[in-house]
């Protein structure tokens, strides 16, 4: 009788996982801060045209959640990276104040739940898009319905439009771009210590 040894995926965090996740989060904090500055300018014509359109630029605040999970591929990576990135933005002086931390946690949770639904075994393009969309959905709900939401006074139809836009933005900006970035990083060999080291050769749909 032949015994087949099946190598099980370990979900225990290693020191290298924590370090890299922290680096992704720190870089994300800088991206958040810069994105906020740019968004403040871009949102002016959007607000003048149709305020809910600002949801289309929300995806930049969700990149660490999806990118972190695509690289680390362990439970908690999306939530950790997004929450720490939001903390970094807060420390650097966010115009949104302490609410940025709450937003980060919720957006990270939105992405985390998608990966969890696939039992942390799917990291292809559709999953990345869904994770980005999940983060965007939670972002839209946070901004539209929680007490500190900046568009809580919107009419119901405008809230729906805004949530739709943040979901689309999350899928495209955070989901697709993070998936492309992970493949690019894998090609350089810097992900050799992670399960994502073969990301560049993984099929987009599997």
């Amino acid at each position: 009788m032949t015994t087949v040894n099946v190598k099980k995926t370990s979900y225990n965090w290693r020191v290298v996982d924590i370090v890299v996740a922290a680096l992704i989060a720190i870089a994300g904090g800088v991206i958040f801060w810069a994105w906020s500055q740019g968004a403040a300018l871009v949102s002016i014509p959007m607000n003048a045209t149709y305020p809910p359109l600002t949801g289309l630029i929300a995806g930049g605040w969700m990149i660490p959640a999806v990118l972190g999970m695509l690289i680390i591929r362990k439970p908690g990576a999306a939530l950790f990276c997004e929450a720490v990135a939001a903390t970094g933005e807060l420390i650097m002086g966010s115009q949104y104040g302490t609410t940025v931390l709450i937003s980060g946690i919720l957006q990270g949770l939105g992405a985390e739940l998608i990966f969890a639904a696939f039992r942390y075994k799917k990291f292809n393009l559709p999953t990345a898009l869904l994770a980005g969309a999940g983060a965007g959905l939670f972002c839209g709900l946070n901004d539209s319905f929680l007490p500190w939401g900046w568009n809580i006074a919107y009419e119901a139809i405008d809230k729906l439009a805004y949530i739709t836009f943040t979901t689309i933005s999350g899928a495209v900006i955070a989901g697709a771009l993070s998936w492309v970035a992970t493949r690019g990083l894998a090609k350089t060999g810097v992900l050799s210590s992670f399960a994502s080291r073969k990301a560049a050769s993984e099929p987009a749909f599997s």
Side-chain angles (χ1 to χ4, degrees):
M1 181 177 179
T2 303
T3 301
V4 179
N5 293 321
V6 179
K7 185 178 181 181
K8 295 183 178 180
T9 302
S10 174
Y11 289 138
N12 294 325
W13 280 60
R14 305 164 299 168
V15 173
V16 66
D17 296 327
I18 297 173
V19 171
V20 171
L23 290 175
I24 293 172
I26 292 171
V30 176
I31 292 173
F32 281 3
W33 182 84
W35 197 271
S36 294
Q37 309 312 306
L41 296 175
V42 176
S43 64
I44 294 176
M46 287 183 165
N47 274 313
T49 304
Y50 181 51
L53 283 173
T54 56
L56 290 174
I57 58 176
W61 285 293
M62 307 163 206
I63 291 174
V66 183
L67 181 62
M69 180 61 81
L70 290 178
I71 291 176
I72 306 298
R73 301 191 175 186
K74 292 184 177 179
L79 182 56
F80 175 85
C81 289
E82 190 74 10
V84 175
T87 301
E89 182 187 3
L90 176 61
I91 293 173
M92 286 186 286
S94 171
Q95 60 183 317
Y96 303 107
T98 56
T99 61
V100 71
L101 180 56
I102 300 173
S103 296
I105 292 173
L106 291 175
Q107 289 161 190
L109 180 60
E112 187 78 35
L113 289 174
I114 296 299
F115 289 110
F118 289 100
R119 301 174 62 187
Y120 300 101
K121 295 182 182 298
K122 290 285 187 179
F123 302 96
N124 55 16
L125 179 57
T127 306
L129 292 174
L130 285 173
L137 174 62
F138 276 44
C139 170
L141 292 173
N142 171 58
D143 291 343
S144 300
F145 295 106
L146 295 186
W148 47 82
W150 66 271
N151 59 5
I152 195 169
Y154 278 8
E155 295 293 332
I157 188 64
D158 293 332
K159 287 183 178 181
L160 178 59
Y162 177 78
I163 293 170
T164 299
F165 291 146
T166 59
T167 302
I168 293 172
S169 181
V172 176
I173 298 177
L177 290 185
S178 293
W179 183 79
V180 170
T182 302
R183 290 172 71 88
L185 288 171
K187 288 181 180 179
T188 68
V190 298
L191 303 182
S192 60
S193 298
F194 301 92
S196 55
R197 59 185 175 275
K198 297 181 180 180
S201 60
E202 291 175 345
F205 305 92
S206 60

